[in-house]
Amino acid sequence: MLVPDSLLEVAVAARRVVVVTGAGMSAESGVPTFRDAQTGLWERYAAEDLATPETWERDPAFVWAWYLSRFGAVAHVEPNAGHRAVARWADLAQVEVVTQNVDDLHERAGNHDVVHLHGSLTSFRCERCETAYAGEVVVPERQVERVDPPTCGHCGGLVRPGVVWFGELLPLEAWERAVVLVETADLVLVVGTSGLVHPAAGLPVLARGAGAFVVEVNPLETDVSDVAHQVWRETAARALPALVAAVESRGGRP
Ligand code: OAD
C-alpha cells in the first residue's frame, strides 16, 4: 500500500508522535463501533441511552448485564494489525497512545502507559466510595437482560463499570496528560474516531494549534477531517502497518 509521501516524511522526522484512537481502531478486531447498531438483546437501544448515569440509576442490573456482554466480547477478540503496528512503532520512536476506547487491545498489543480518556472495561469501582473492585466478574454464558452488580466489600455500595458515561467528567489526570502529549507532539495521528464526543474531539484542534502535523486515518469523512492537515482514507489495520513498515525501512528515529 502506498503511504502518502508527506505523511511519511513527517513520520520519519518526528521526535514525538501521538496516536489518538477511537472505536474504528478496534473495528477490525471485531469490536463494533459505538455508533454501529447494538447486537442481540440490546439491539433496540442506542449506546447513548445505555451508557448514562440516569439509566444506571434507574436499572443498574440492566446496565451491568450490557457491560458484562461487552466485557466478555472484548475478552474474546485479539489486537489487530493496526494495534500491533502502533506497539512496534513505540519500540522505534517516542510514540504515545491516547484512546477513547474502553477495551485493552492497545495494551495487549504491547503498548504501555496508554491514556484512557473514557476509562476501561476491565476496571470496576464502587459507585459510592469509589474503591476499586478486584473481585471476580462473571460473564453469563448466554446473554441475559439483567444481572445484579456485585457490592463493594467496604461500604456495600453497588460496583459499577470503570468507564465514563455520557454526561460524566473525564478522569482529570488522563485528560491533562492527553493535552500535554498532543500539545508537545510533532505528529498526531487521529485514527478511527467520529470526532463527535467532546472534550476528546477537541484534541486534534489543540494539537494543530500547538504546531503538530495532524493526520486523520479513517475510511470516512468525519468532524476531524477539516482539522487535519492530511486525511488518509484507509482503515487502521491496513494503514498503520504500512506506515510503520515504511518508517522502519527509512531508519525511523532512535
Ligand atoms: P464512533 O463509533 O463514533 O466512530 C467510529 C469511527 O471509526 C467512524 O468515524 C468510522 O468511520 C471509523 N471507522 C470504522 N471502521 C474503521 C476502521 N477499520 N479503521 C479506521 N476507522 C474506522 O466511535 P468514537 O469516535 O470512538 O464515549 O466514539 C467516541 C465516544 O463516543 C466513545 O468513546 C464513547 C462514545 O459513545 C463514551 O462512552 C463516553
Side-chain angles (χ1 to χ4, degrees):
M1 170 177 323
L2 213 54
V3 178
D5 279 343
S6 44
L7 167 57
L8 183 55
E9 291 312 318
V10 178
V12 169
R15 288 181 181 280
R16 299 162 82 93
V17 177
V18 179
V19 184
V20 176
T21 65
M25 181 78 222
S26 299
E28 285 149 294
S29 290
V31 182
T33 62
F34 253 89
R35 266 148 266 280
D36 277 354
Q38 306 295 322
T39 51
L41 280 177
W42 294 279
E43 67 190 356
R44 289 171 291 130
Y45 303 93
E48 288 90 338
D49 298 328
L50 291 164
T52 68
E54 292 77 24
T55 313
W56 170 259
E57 199 69 21
R58 201 169 53 239
D59 197 348
F62 179 68
V63 175
W64 185 253
W66 180 55
Y67 273 94
L68 286 183
S69 112
R70 293 183 62 205
F71 175 70
V74 165
H76 287 102
V77 301
E78 296 296 331
N80 64 51
H83 295 104
R84 290 196 299 274
V86 173
R88 171 73 191 138
W89 201 1
D91 290 338
L92 306 172
Q94 190 174 339
V95 177
E96 309 281 350
V97 178
V98 174
T99 188
Q100 296 169 81
N101 297 343
V102 294
D103 64 52
D104 58 353
L105 295 175
H106 282 299
E107 284 89 345
R108 280 159 55 194
N111 278 105
H112 310 290
D113 300 326
V114 175
V115 179
H116 280 274
L117 292 174
H118 291 165
S120 160
L121 264 186
T122 54
S123 73
F124 305 91
R125 67 172 189 274
C126 174
E127 65 162 3
R128 196 188 296 159
C129 73
E130 311 252 301
T131 303
Y133 175 74
E136 205 186 351
V137 171
V138 182
V139 180
E141 273 174 32
R142 277 178 300 111
Q143 278 192 354
V144 284
E145 201 164 87
R146 284 189 172 68
V147 180
D148 285 330
T151 49
C152 171
H154 289 268
C155 76
L158 292 182
V159 172
R160 60 161 281 175
V163 303
V164 176
W165 285 326
F166 288 95
E168 291 187 320
L169 294 176
L170 269 55
L172 188 62
E173 205 180 313
W175 172 249
E176 288 179 347
R177 180 153 166 70
V179 170
V180 169
L181 288 175
V182 299
E183 288 190 338
T184 53
D186 304 307
L187 169 61
V188 172
L189 280 180
V190 186
V191 184
T193 175
S194 56
L196 291 173
V197 175
H198 286 271
L203 290 173
V205 181
L206 292 177
R208 186 165 179 149
F213 190 72
V214 178
V215 178
E216 172 176 63
V217 178
N218 195 315
L220 300 178
E221 187 171 342
T222 71
D223 281 16
V224 178
S225 307
D226 281 347
V227 179
H229 293 94
Q230 180 156 27
V231 293
W232 191 7
R233 294 278 168 247
E234 257 303 344
T235 73
R238 285 167 50 88
L240 293 169
L243 173 62
V244 175
V247 170
E248 205 168 356
S249 74
R250 290 274 299 268
R253 272 238 158 227

